[in-house]
C-alpha cells in the first residue's frame, strides 16, 4: 500500500518534470539584444554589463558620473565578440526625476532599438544602529534603491508590453530577504523591490515579460567597501556567517536567471541562525555596557 | 520502533509547549500605559485607539486633520473606564520632517509620560496598472507609509531602550506579504515595513522591546473605500478571493498581538496561512509558532501556488476580453 503511494508520488514528480519546460518562458537571446544596466559603471552592474556584452548584447550603461562611465565603457569594449557591438553611456540620476529618466531611455532606444533586458542595479547602502543612522539616509536610500528602479522600469514597460517580450531585473539583496542588525535603512529598500517585482510580474505575465529579483550576498564591490567603513560590530560579526562573493560570479548567476520539499527544513535551520544572531547582539550589548560602567568607575 | 519514535516526538512537542512561555516576552500591561497611535483619527488606527482605551490606556492620537482628531477624541472618550484617562490629540504630518515628529512626541511624553506602545498606522493606498499610476504616487506612498513609520519609531526608540521596555507596531498589509496586480505603488511600501521591523527587532531584542508587524486583509475603512474607487477590474476580482474584514476585529487582533509581543499578527484563516507561508526569516516569539511554521510551510506553499495560478488566469482573461472588445470597437 505504502509502496503503491510512493510509486504514485515518484511518477507524479517525473510527470511534472517533463511538463515543466512547457510553462517556462523561452530563454532570451542575448546576441543583438539591447541591454540597459543602471548603476552599470561599477560593482555588480559593471560585471553584468560585461557578461551580457561577452554574449553579444548591445549595452546602454546608465550612471551619474560621466568619467566613470567612459572608463567602464573602455573596459567593457575589450570583450567585444563582433564589429557591430555598441556600448552607449548616459549620465543621469535615475532617482531624481521621472521625466529625465524617460527621456534618457527614449534616446537609448532611438540609438540601439527597443530595450530587451533592463537591469536595475543602481543602489547604495548605509549601515548603523537605527537611532544612529543620519535621519535623511532613510529617504535617500529609498529614493536611490527603490524609486531609482521604479522610474527606469516604468519608462520601458509600455514598449515591452507592445512587443509582448522583455525582461526586467531588480537587484535586491539577501538583506531584502531578512532584516539584519544595522540595516534598518537598507533592508526596507530591498524588501520594497521584491514587493514591486511580485506585483509587477502579476501584471505583465500575459505579455510574456518576465521579472527577476536577484538576492546577492555580500559582494566584493566598491559599494561594499564603502559600506564596511561604518559597519557596527554586531553587523560585521553577523555577516561573517556567510562569505563575500566575487562580483563576476554574482553577475553570471543573475544574467543566467534573467534568460521550488525543503521549506520546512530550511525554516528550522533559519530559526537556529536567528538564535545565533540574537546572541551575538546580546553579547555585544553586554560587553559595551560593561566597558561603559568600567569607564564610569575610573 | 515506529511507536517509540512517535512517542518521542509527542513528548518533545509537549516539552516545547511547556517551555514556550519561558522565551516569550512578558505581556504589556495596558491600564495606565501610554499608547501613541499615528493615523489614529480614522480606520484601523481609530479602532486600535478605542481598543486600548477600553483597557485603561492613555492615548495620544497623531494625524494631520485637527477636526477629525477632535471628533475622534470625543468618540473614544465615551469608552473611558476611569476618571484619570486622557486622550491627547496632536496634529502633524508624520512623513514630512523628522524634527517636527520628534518635537511632537517629546510634548506627548511630557504630558503623558514615556511611550509604552507606539502603533504606526498612518498610511494610504493607490491602485492601478504600473504604467497608469501617477508617477509621483510612488514617492508619495513610500513617504507616508514608510518614512511616516520610521520617524515616530526613531523618536521613541532611545527612551524605550533606556527603560528596557516597549512595543512598536507596524501596520503592514497582506499586500506586504505578496505583491498583487494593481499594487505596484502600495506593496513595496508595505514590504518595506517588514524589512524595517525585522532589522529593528534584531537590534532591540536585548532591550526587551518587541516589534509587531500586522498584516490586515482588506478592511472596511474610509481609506479602503477611497482605494476602491479607482481599482482596476483585475484587482477587484483577485481581492474577492478573501473577504473584507471589520476594522474593530482587526484592531482587537493587533492589540492582542502587540500586548503579547508577537512579531507576526494576522487576521482570519487566510491571514494565518499567508503568515506561515511567508514567515521566511522572521523571528518567532513562541516555540509553538515556529513549530507550526516548520510543519505547515510546504503544504501552504502548494496551496499558495494554486492561488497564484488562479490570479494569473484572472489577469490573462481580463486582458483577452479587453483586447477583444478593443478590436470589435475598431471594426465598427
Amino acid at each position: 500500500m505504502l509502496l503503491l503511494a510512493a510509486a504514485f508520488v515518484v511518477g507524479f514528480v517525473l510527470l511534472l518534470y517533463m511538463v515543466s519546460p512547457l510553462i517556462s518562458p523561452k530563454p532570451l537571446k542575448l546576441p543583438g539584444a539591447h541591454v540597459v544596466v543602471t548603476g552599470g559603471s561599477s560593482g555588480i552592474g559593471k560585471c553584468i554589463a560585461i557578461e551580457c556584452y561577452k554574449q553579444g548584447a548591445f549595452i546602454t550603461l546608465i550612471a551619474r558620473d560621466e568619467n566613470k562611465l567612459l572608463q567602464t565603457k573602455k573596459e567593457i569594449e575589450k570583450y567585444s565578440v563582433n564589429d557591430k557591438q555598441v556600448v552607449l553611456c548616459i549620465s543621469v540620476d535615475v532617482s531624481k526625476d521621472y521625466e529625465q529618466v524617460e527621456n534618457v531611455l527614449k534616446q537609448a532606444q532611438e540609438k540601439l532599438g527597443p530595450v530587451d533586458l533592463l537591469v536595475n542595479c543602481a543602489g547604495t547602502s548605509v549601515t548603523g544602529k537605527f537611532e544612529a543612522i543620519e535621519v535623511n539616509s532613510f529617504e535617500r536610500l529609498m529614493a536611490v534603491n527603490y524609486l531609482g528602479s521604479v522610474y527606469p522600469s516604468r519608462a520601458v514597460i509600455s514598449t515591452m508590453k507592445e512587443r509582448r517580450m522583455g525582461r526586467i531585473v531588480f537587484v535586491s539583496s539577501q538583506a531584502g530577504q531578512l532584516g539584519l542588525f544595522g540595516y534598518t535603512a537598507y533592508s526596507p529598500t530591498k524588501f520594497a523591490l521584491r514587493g514591486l517585482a511580485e506585483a509587477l510580474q502579476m501584471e505583465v505575465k500575459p505579455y510574456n515579460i518576465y521579472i527577476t529579483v536577484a538576492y546577492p550576498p555580500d559582494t566584493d564591490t566598491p559599494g561594499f567597501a564603502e559600506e564596511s567603513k561604518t559597519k557596527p560590530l554586531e553587523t560585521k560579526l553577523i555577516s561573517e556567517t556567510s562569505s563575500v562573493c566575487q562580483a563576476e560570479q554574482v553577475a553570471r548567476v543573475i544574467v543566467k536567471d534573467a534568460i521550488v520539499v525543503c521549506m520546512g527544513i530550511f525554516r528550522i535551520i533559519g530559526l537556529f541562525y536567528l538564535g545565533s544572531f540574537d546572541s551575538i547582539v546580546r553579547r555585544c550589548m553586554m560587553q559595551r555596557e560593561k566597558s561603559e560602567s568600567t569607564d564610569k568607575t575610573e
Side-chain angles (χ1 to χ4, degrees), chain A residues 59-225:
Chain A
I59 310 290
T60 295
L61 290 179
I62 295 184
R64 288 167 302 169
D65 188 330
E66 282 211 49
N67 292 324
K68 269 214 233 169
L69 277 170
L70 291 171
Q71 266 185 325
T72 308
K73 177 176 148 100
K74 288 202 191 97
E75 226 184 297
I76 297 178
E77 283 172 336
K78 294 189 203 139
Y79 296 93
S80 93
V81 288
N82 65 50
D83 285 334
K84 298 208 192 111
Q85 278 184 296
V86 179
V87 176
L88 184 63
C89 291
I90 305 186
S91 162
V92 74
D93 184 334
V94 285
S95 66
K96 278 268 143 49
D97 174 40
Y98 174 65
E99 306 276 305
Q100 264 194 327
V101 176
E102 203 184 23
N103 280 335
V104 148
L105 279 155
K106 207 179 281 185
Q107 292 177 35
Q109 298 194 91
E110 278 164 10
K111 296 202 173 125
L112 300 183
V115 178
D116 296 294
L117 165 60
L118 167 66
V119 183
N120 290 296
C121 202
T124 188
S125 170
V126 156
T127 52
K129 284 204 274 189
F130 180 54
E131 60 273 21
I133 295 175
E134 212 189 314
V135 172
N136 63 17
S137 293
F138 293 90
E139 184 169 9
R140 187 173 60 86
L141 244 61
M142 196 47 95
V144 179
N145 296 0
Y146 168 62
L147 295 179
S149 296
V150 169
Y151 296 156
S153 305
R154 195 182 150 104
V156 302
I157 200 72
S158 300
T159 311
M160 286 186 176
K161 280 175 105 168
E162 276 169 32
R163 301 174 73 211
R164 290 288 201 273
M165 61 184 279
R167 295 280 197 279
I168 299 182
V169 175
F170 295 101
V171 180
S172 174
S173 165
Q174 282 186 352
Q177 294 174 302
L178 80 152
L180 291 168
F181 189 110
Y183 286 108
T184 48
Y186 181 70
S187 278
T189 71
K190 295 304 188 174
F191 267 75
L193 287 180
R194 175 181 171 168
L196 172 64
E198 279 190 18
L200 186 58
Q201 176 70 93
M202 200 179 285
E203 289 188 22
V204 302
K205 196 177 260 189
Y207 296 87
N208 192 34
I209 301 169
Y210 290 92
I211 313 288
T212 299
V213 192
Y215 301 101
D218 283 339
T219 308
D220 189 11
T221 67
F224 180 65

Side-chain angles (χ1 to χ4, degrees), chain A residues 262-277:
Chain A
C262 297
M263 260 183 140
I265 305 168
F266 290 169
R267 179 55 169 157
I268 297 177
I269 298 174
L271 287 170
F272 277 104
Y273 264 109
L274 275 172
S276 93
F277 295 163

